[in-house]
Amino acid sequence: MPVVPLSLDGIPTELKWEVLTQVPDLLSLRSLVHASPSYHQAYYQKPESILFTVLSRDIEPVLCDAFMANQCSKLRCEGMDRSGRIQAKKEFIEHYKQNHDQPMKLPEKLELQGTVELAYLHIIIHDLVDDFCRSTFEVYTLSYGRDIEYVPPSPTEKRRIFRAFYRFQIYCNLFSMSGVRSPDTKEFTIPDIQEDFDGADKPWMFFSIFQPWEVEELGCIRDFIYKRYTEKFQEVEADVAMMNESDDDGISVWSSEHFNFSSDGINVKDYKEHFMELGLPFLHQVLTTSYEKRKVLIADNLWPNHFFISEPLTEPPYHSLNVTEIYEAHENKGDILFDGDQQGPNQAWVWYVGGKVTPYYYDYSGEVPRCWGYVIWDKSRLENWHAEDAVPKD
């Protein structure tokens, strides 16, 4: 009698639990649970332990930034007065400064709510990381005519990209002034607040925590997000203009007669700046929802914000005006070396700064290479791309 092979769908539930806990990351877990009714059923018999096990393995390389993003999301809540909120944010920033580069592990047990919160943002960032990698690869190959095959990011590249996305979200949690406006209720998801810090405080309070190349990584994420919003704004331009002209609720802030998404004038830039402050979950929603929902999301959240992240990134860095180790190394023309992809700057940053320490980041000369994420990639990828000639020398 021939042996009939047992399919993975046909194995006992206890073995399905084992399969679910062994998938490499949250995306794989999501795919398996959505693809198979039997694994969907098995997962929801033990969601807390399965999700925690996979999340612990998936999030570990960037756990500190992920955990900090989750913690600082709670700093803004109704009932907290401005002085209390400012003090809480200052204490958080100091704690983050002391611990952001330290190894960390999740507690052995975490409440389901905490696990779900961490997993929710992490899987959003998974999707955005994939989009970022494919988008920057396309920009590079089209800009320089390279005939190369797309290769998914290595573990060290993923760590840099995930880290930069999490730091962008931390920045949003600390410095955003408003929430998303619901298309249904026209109410905001979190209350509008007065800005807690002057615009000039942001680069000194937050960007000074990191090495200059790490701020440049954050700048690559900012440029990617800005590009994505530019594309989506232009996609819905005609319909949003029509919706706005017929809106009689008294809150419209522009009309098609004096504004259009195809330009990149000051008004459009300020709207995109506001969209960036709404954070990564909102960006993910705009990118993945239907066209009909997207145009409503965009129309309902058109508010200006001139000084969220773009301008602060161009302000004089803290380490260029204060006597720190970076300042002194720059003054003494100290060398900066590539010491492998596990730590320190990547090879492209060393090329960019000419092998010398600098406190500066997000310069105009880096605008083009930031479009393809030059400070993100491992040396082997940069060599395969023949990228040295594509990096301007500072």
Side-chain angles (χ1 to χ4, degrees):
M1 184 175 181
V3 177
V4 179
L6 185 66
S7 72
L8 285 177
D9 272 324
I11 63 177
T13 299
E14 291 80 3
L15 292 181
K16 287 191 177 78
W17 292 337
E18 186 66 23
V19 170
L20 288 165
T21 58
Q22 293 303 315
V23 297
D25 52 46
L26 291 177
L27 283 186
S28 302
L29 178 62
R30 180 178 67 178
S31 297
L32 180 54
V33 170
H34 286 179
S36 168
S38 67
Y39 278 90
H40 184 275
Q41 183 179 21
Y43 171 77
Y44 279 102
Q45 290 175 354
K46 295 180 65 174
E48 185 171 356
S49 62
I50 294 171
L51 182 62
F52 180 82
T53 301
V54 178
L55 175 67
S56 299
R57 180 168 54 251
D58 190 11
I59 208 170
E60 185 176 359
V62 290
L63 178 57
C64 182
D65 289 295
F67 190 77
M68 292 295 185
N70 177 263
Q71 291 301 298
C72 73
S73 69
K74 305 178 189 340
L75 293 178
R76 181 177 171 187
C77 59
E78 295 190 64
M80 183 182 290
D81 62 30
R82 184 167 183 260
S83 61
R85 188 173 60 245
I86 289 174
Q87 182 60 32
K89 287 182 177 182
K90 286 181 176 179
E91 290 174 0
F92 169 85
I93 290 171
E94 184 59 32
H95 177 69
Y96 183 48
K97 181 179 181 180
Q98 298 300 323
N99 295 279
H100 75 281
D101 57 354
Q102 300 299 314
M104 183 178 178
K105 284 190 175 293
L106 276 177
E108 290 187 5
K109 191 168 184 180
L110 199 63
E111 293 294 328
L112 180 58
Q113 180 62 29
T115 304
V116 169
E117 288 175 359
L118 286 168
Y120 169 72
L121 182 57
H122 198 66
I123 203 163
I124 282 174
I125 295 179
H126 257 295
D127 289 339
L128 294 175
V129 166
D130 182 66
D131 188 20
F132 174 87
C133 291
R134 294 181 183 280
S135 172
T136 51
F137 172 76
E138 181 180 4
V139 168
Y140 184 80
T141 53
L142 291 177
S143 298
Y144 298 99
R146 303 286 201 254
D147 184 17
I148 47 181
E149 184 179 350
Y150 175 76
V151 177
S154 71
T156 47
E157 291 169 337
K158 286 177 67 174
R159 178 177 56 83
R160 293 189 199 104
I161 308 169
F162 270 89
R163 180 178 67 187
F165 269 113
Y166 271 116
R167 290 173 178 178
F168 183 91
Q169 185 60 44
I170 291 172
Y171 187 90
C172 292
N173 291 343
L174 290 172
F175 301 116
S176 173
M177 292 189 296
S178 67
V180 178
R181 189 163 176 251
S182 168
D184 301 318
T185 65
K186 306 302 180 184
E187 298 294 328
F188 288 96
T189 54
I190 54 177
D192 225 20
I193 62 171
Q194 181 181 354
E195 187 164 17
D196 290 332
F197 305 103
D198 292 335
D201 291 337
K202 297 174 185 177
W204 284 33
M205 294 180 69
F206 191 73
F207 300 144
S208 64
I209 295 173
F210 311 115
Q211 293 290 338
W213 63 85
E214 293 177 330
V215 184
E216 189 77 349
E217 292 170 0
L218 185 59
C220 291
I221 299 304
R222 177 267 168 208
D223 289 4
F224 162 75
I225 294 173
Y226 191 90
K227 175 175 178 281
R228 280 289 179 256
Y229 276 134
T230 297
E231 294 165 353
K232 297 307 176 186
F233 274 33
Q234 292 175 354
E235 179 183 301
V236 302
E237 176 183 351
D239 283 341
V240 170
M242 189 178 304
M243 291 166 62
N244 184 80
E245 289 179 345
S246 61
D247 194 353
D248 59 359
D249 63 3
I251 60 170
S252 299
V253 293
W254 64 274
S255 73
S256 57
E257 293 179 359
H258 73 277
F259 176 82
N260 71 79
F261 288 147
S262 298
S263 72
D264 203 23
I266 187 64
N267 289 334
V268 187
K269 289 180 178 179
D270 288 353
Y271 294 138
K272 293 174 191 173
E273 203 73 13
H274 170 64
F275 270 58
M276 287 193 288
E277 79 170 311
L278 297 180
L280 300 180
F282 181 75
L283 169 66
H284 187 260
Q285 187 178 9
V286 169
L287 294 180
T288 59
T289 195
S290 68
Y291 177 84
E292 291 300 315
K293 291 182 179 178
R294 182 180 302 124
K295 70 182 183 183
V296 174
L297 275 173
I298 290 176
D300 280 349
N301 287 280
L302 282 175
W303 304 96
N305 183 331
H306 177 62
F307 207 86
F308 177 60
I309 190 169
S310 302
E311 288 295 324
L313 277 168
T314 65
E315 290 291 305
Y318 177 86
H319 299 291
S320 71
L321 299 175
N322 293 271
V323 180
T324 63
E325 288 185 12
I326 294 174
Y327 175 92
E328 292 183 335
H330 175 62
E331 288 294 303
N332 294 325
K333 298 182 173 18
D335 294 330
I336 186 169
L337 304 174
F338 172 69
D339 192 28
D341 287 308
Q342 293 296 328
Q343 60 184 2
N346 81 332
Q347 180 65 73
W349 178 258
V350 177
W351 290 335
Y352 178 66
V353 300
K356 298 296 180 181
V357 174
T358 179
Y360 298 102
Y361 48 75
Y362 208 72
D363 289 334
Y364 176 76
S365 60
E367 182 176 359
V368 171
R370 277 195 302 272
C371 290
W372 52 270
Y374 76 111
V375 287
I376 296 296
W377 311 116
D378 288 347
K379 183 178 181 180
S380 59
R381 184 185 299 269
L382 293 167
E383 290 176 341
N384 183 53
W385 285 7
H386 306 288
E388 184 171 3
D389 292 340
V391 177
K393 309 304 184 286
D394 194 15

